[in-house]
Amino acid sequence: MGRVRVAVVGAGVVGLSTALCIAECIPKCSVTVLADTFSPDTVSDGAAGFVYVNKFPDTPVDRQRRWLKDTFDHLFSISNSSEAPDAGVYLISGWQVFREPPSEKRPYWADVVLGFRFMSDAELEKFPQHKFGQAFTTLKCECPIYLPWLEKRFKNADGQVQPGRVTDFGQLCVNYDIIVNCSGLGSLSLVGDTDLHPVRGQILKVQAPWLKHFIRDGDGLTYIFPGISSVTLGGTRQKDDWRLTADPKDCSDMFERCCALEPSLKKSQVLTEWVGLRPSRGGLRLEKEMFQHGSRQVPIIHNYGHGGGGISLHWGTALEATQLVKECIGNRYLASNL
């Protein structure tokens, strides 16, 4: 059997990490990433890069926890290595606060992050409008640094990149034996997934170097994430909203909400505004199907629909997608086509 030709569609954090996993874990594969946008122009580049994820309602919690833990362990390993500055990965501590105690005070991810505990009364005095809080240490990726680092590592593993828009999986079936679909919202047209929809996210980057701890409101709408050179303020979660231009009212509202949590932000300097569309669905799609192209059947591994959890789940879902590729290589459908 010759080298198995694998096409990965999409060059965001999910696509690049999946391609890298396949290239490093399955040496018999020749892996090519195909995408119309690469860093710094992907949606992933604008993400806050904060490792935290909400539950997917249609996915078993133990599966979500495995994805998160695999990703956390991967990033934690990087943060403890000499590669940390080049990868833009580091630990960050802070608080998640709630106006009313949540029904689940200890979430499923409590033993994945580091040092999870309930906030003390003294700590909560900083947030007089909130009655309950969680303190923990997690990880943060500076995505404009992390994505080029992933791409470089992928190329060092003999991976190839090919700019260009994929409009039909059929155009790949002649040159590739397995297709891995990490196209995010592109799957609306590529596979006609009617469960997939955009959730518009707008953020601000501000200069506030005195802030060292993250603050996240439990409602998920308001957050303050300090980074290496700026602080990310958010945000919005606007379903089925395709607008890619910054809305001045959204900017004003999120800035006021963030200042209510951290009054010192009133002295910060706004650097940039950014808008991105999260590829969201009821449950992340990670599965195999067979694509019929003429007389040939080509396996497609779908790995998309991460919503706002792309950074938090990328390595865990990449590992599972890689396992599906391994299964395809031994599959009789693939073997008959090689």
Side-chain angles (χ1 to χ4, degrees):
M1 181 184 292
R3 299 194 79 188
V4 180
R5 302 164 299 173
V6 179
V8 177
V9 182
V13 69
V14 174
L16 285 179
S17 58
T18 302
L20 175 60
C21 267
I22 297 169
E24 291 187 339
C25 296
I26 316 176
K28 67 178 66 176
C29 286
S30 170
V31 188
T32 302
V33 172
L34 304 101
D36 56 348
T37 57
F38 288 81
S39 184
D41 300 317
T42 73
V43 174
S44 298
D45 282 280
F50 182 75
V51 177
Y52 173 94
V53 66
N54 291 309
K55 283 183 183 178
F56 291 100
D58 298 341
T59 304
V61 172
D62 59 344
R63 194 181 186 200
Q64 298 182 54
R65 186 187 181 282
R66 184 177 69 250
W67 292 335
L68 178 62
K69 182 170 179 12
D70 285 345
T71 304
F72 192 95
D73 290 349
H74 164 72
L75 293 175
F76 187 56
S77 177
I78 295 172
S79 75
N80 287 332
S81 75
S82 61
E83 289 289 300
D86 295 329
V89 177
Y90 52 93
L91 291 166
I92 184 170
S93 300
W95 306 283
Q96 177 167 234
V97 293
F98 299 80
R99 292 181 181 273
E100 297 293 336
S103 57
E104 188 178 54
K105 292 184 178 181
R106 186 176 180 84
Y108 78 92
W109 46 262
D111 61 348
V112 175
V113 299
L114 305 178
F116 179 92
R117 61 178 174 81
F118 299 149
M119 289 172 63
S120 66
D121 291 341
E123 287 173 302
L124 281 170
E125 287 181 7
K126 178 175 173 60
F127 308 101
Q129 302 302 315
H130 296 76
K131 298 179 181 178
F132 178 81
Q134 301 156 339
F136 55 93
T137 297
T138 186
L139 288 142
K140 193 172 184 299
C141 287
E142 296 286 328
C143 294
I145 302 174
Y146 184 60
L147 266 65
W149 181 82
L150 280 178
E151 185 175 333
K152 180 180 177 180
R153 184 169 155 183
F154 171 64
K155 290 177 178 177
N156 288 340
D158 294 327
Q160 305 293 316
V161 298
Q162 182 177 319
R165 179 180 291 273
V166 176
T167 57
D168 189 303
F169 289 132
Q171 72 189 80
L172 304 179
C173 290
V174 174
N175 297 317
Y176 298 98
D177 305 302
I178 300 174
I179 298 168
V180 184
N181 175 26
C182 303
S183 63
L185 280 175
S187 290
L188 273 169
S189 57
L190 276 174
V191 300
D193 187 342
T194 57
D195 190 29
L196 187 65
H197 56 270
V199 174
R200 181 178 178 274
Q202 182 168 321
I203 60 170
L204 291 172
K205 299 277 190 179
V206 302
Q207 194 78 43
W210 57 87
L211 294 182
K212 305 299 181 185
H213 290 75
F214 75 80
I215 305 171
R216 184 183 190 275
D217 194 296
D219 65 10
L221 286 179
T222 307
Y223 48 83
I224 302 164
F225 298 146
I228 293 174
S229 58
S230 63
V231 178
T232 300
L233 308 183
T236 64
R237 293 183 181 275
Q238 297 156 329
K239 184 177 178 180
D240 294 323
D241 190 333
W242 289 89
R243 292 176 299 147
L244 285 172
T245 55
D247 185 316
K249 185 176 187 307
D250 286 340
C251 289
S252 175
D253 287 348
M254 74 176 70
F255 188 75
E256 288 182 10
R257 284 187 273 116
C258 288
C259 287
L261 284 177
E262 178 53 67
S264 70
L265 281 169
K266 294 176 182 179
K267 298 292 185 178
S268 67
Q269 176 187 355
V270 175
L271 300 175
T272 59
E273 303 169 351
W274 181 85
V275 177
L277 304 178
R278 305 176 182 94
S280 302
R281 62 197 307 277
L284 187 158
R285 188 180 185 192
L286 181 44
E287 63 184 1
K288 177 185 72 175
E289 73 168 338
M290 301 304 297
F291 180 76
Q292 190 73 39
H293 182 68
S295 61
R296 191 165 186 250
Q297 282 191 318
V298 177
I300 296 181
I301 310 300
H302 295 290
N303 184 14
Y304 68 86
H306 293 62
I311 298 298
S312 302
L313 303 176
H314 71 280
W315 199 257
T317 57
L319 288 172
E320 187 168 321
T322 298
Q323 182 58 40
L324 291 174
V325 171
K326 288 181 179 179
E327 294 173 7
C328 287
I329 291 175
N331 185 290
R332 62 186 177 91
Y333 294 108
L334 179 57
S336 67
N337 287 319
L338 292 176

